[in-house]
Amino acid sequence: MTLHAHIPGGPSRSGGPSQPGEPRWPGEPRRPGTPFTPGVPARDPVSPTRVWLDPNADWQGRLYERLLEKRIVLASGILDDDAAARLSAHLLTLDAEGDKPIRLELQNLRAELPAALTVMGILDVLRVPAHACVSGEISGPGLGVLASCPRRSGYPNASFVLAEPKLQFGGTVTSITVREQQVTRMLDTLYFRLAEVTGREVDQIRDDARRGRNLTTAQAIGYGLIQGQETSAGPASLANPSMPR
C-alpha cells in the first residue's frame, strides 16, 4: 500500500478536497463556509440585458400615413431629386386611388431647379385638382411648384421670395456653355409658369427674381401668386367659400 502525505502549504491532490486557506484548482467548487482566496475572482452570474424599445420611434411614419389617408401631402425643407421622386410618387398614388382633391402643404420649401420642374410636370398631368397651401417661407424654384396647382393659398405669416437660383458649373468651356443653355431654358419654363398664373410679363418676373423680391401673404395675393389666405387648417378649408373655384 502506498501512503500519500499532505504537506501543509503545498498544492492539494488532484481531485482531493482543498484545505481551509488553500487555493482552489480551476473548476473546483468551493465548499460552504470556505472563504474566498485573495486574488481569485468570484464568478457572479451575468445579469440579462434588457432592451427598452421606444414605442414612439415610428411616430413620423405613422403620421405621414395618416395624412396620406386624408389625401394630404407634406413637402418641407429642400426639394432635391430624391425628395422630388418621393413627392411625385405620393401625388401619383393619390391620383390613382381616388377622385377627391389633393392638399399639398408646402412648408419652408426651397427647391433645386431640376427637381422643381420634375414636380411641376407631375402636377400638370394629375387628373384630380391639387390645392397648395404655403406656410413658412417658399422661395426660388419652389414657387413653380406652387404655381402648378390650380388652387393656391397661404397661411397669414407665410413669406414668398422671388429669387433666381444660384448654380455653379465645372468642366470644359464647351460643357459649361451647354449647361448654361440648359439652365436658361429651365429658368424660362419657370418664369413663364409664374407669368401665366400672375398675369404679369415674363421680364417683370425675371427682374423681380434677380432683385430677390419678398412678398407677404397679402402681397402675394395682389401679385397673383396665390388666390386667398387660409383661415382654417385641414381638409375643411378645401371647401372654403372665400377661395375661388
Side-chain angles (χ1 to χ4, degrees):
M1 177 181 295
T2 303
L3 297 177
H4 298 276
H6 176 68
I7 302 174
S12 61
R13 299 185 305 274
S14 175
S18 59
Q19 298 297 322
E22 293 180 343
R24 292 181 291 111
W25 291 91
E28 180 182 353
R30 184 175 63 87
R31 294 184 301 172
T34 302
F36 287 104
T37 303
V40 179
R43 295 189 179 92
D44 293 332
V46 179
S47 301
T49 302
R50 180 173 296 177
V51 179
W52 298 97
L53 298 178
D54 184 3
N56 299 320
D58 194 30
W59 69 269
Q60 191 174 28
R62 294 196 300 269
L63 177 59
Y64 285 159
E65 289 179 0
R66 292 189 62 185
L67 288 174
L68 290 176
E69 292 175 358
K70 301 295 184 180
R71 301 183 67 80
I72 299 175
V73 180
L74 177 64
S76 62
I78 299 178
L79 183 68
D80 54 13
D81 290 339
D82 291 338
R86 293 192 298 269
L87 179 56
S88 299
H90 289 325
L91 293 172
L92 291 173
T93 299
L94 293 178
D95 182 57
E97 290 182 344
D99 55 0
K100 294 182 179 180
I102 299 173
R103 183 180 180 91
L104 181 57
E105 291 283 342
L106 306 177
Q107 297 185 348
N108 292 315
L109 187 65
R110 302 181 305 279
E112 297 177 358
L113 183 56
L117 293 179
T118 298
V119 178
M120 289 167 60
I122 295 297
L123 289 168
D124 287 342
V125 299
L126 293 182
R127 297 179 300 106
V128 299
H131 173 199
C133 184
V134 178
S135 60
E137 180 180 285
I138 184 171
S139 63
L143 294 174
V145 177
L146 170 66
S148 298
C149 297
R151 298 185 60 197
R152 304 174 301 279
S153 62
Y155 288 99
N157 295 326
S159 179
F160 305 78
V161 183
L162 287 92
E164 191 172 66
K166 297 179 180 179
L167 303 172
Q168 295 181 349
F169 308 115
T172 64
V173 175
T174 302
S175 63
I176 292 176
T177 301
V178 172
R179 184 59 178 163
E180 287 180 345
Q181 293 174 351
Q182 293 174 344
V183 171
T184 300
R185 288 194 295 269
M186 289 190 292
L187 281 174
D188 287 342
T189 301
L190 173 64
Y191 293 149
F192 273 106
R193 177 60 57 88
L194 294 177
E196 179 183 358
V197 299
T198 61
R200 298 173 182 271
E201 297 293 333
V202 176
D203 290 339
Q204 180 185 354
I205 300 292
R206 184 180 288 107
D207 291 340
D208 289 340
R210 289 174 177 174
R211 293 188 294 109
R213 185 171 180 179
N214 196 320
L215 304 173
T216 64
T217 298
Q219 292 171 336
I221 296 174
Y223 197 86
L225 280 176
I226 58 178
Q227 300 152 323
Q229 176 178 300
E230 281 291 311
T231 57
S232 62
S237 62
L238 293 176
N240 187 345
S242 63
M243 289 287 296
R245 299 185 181 275

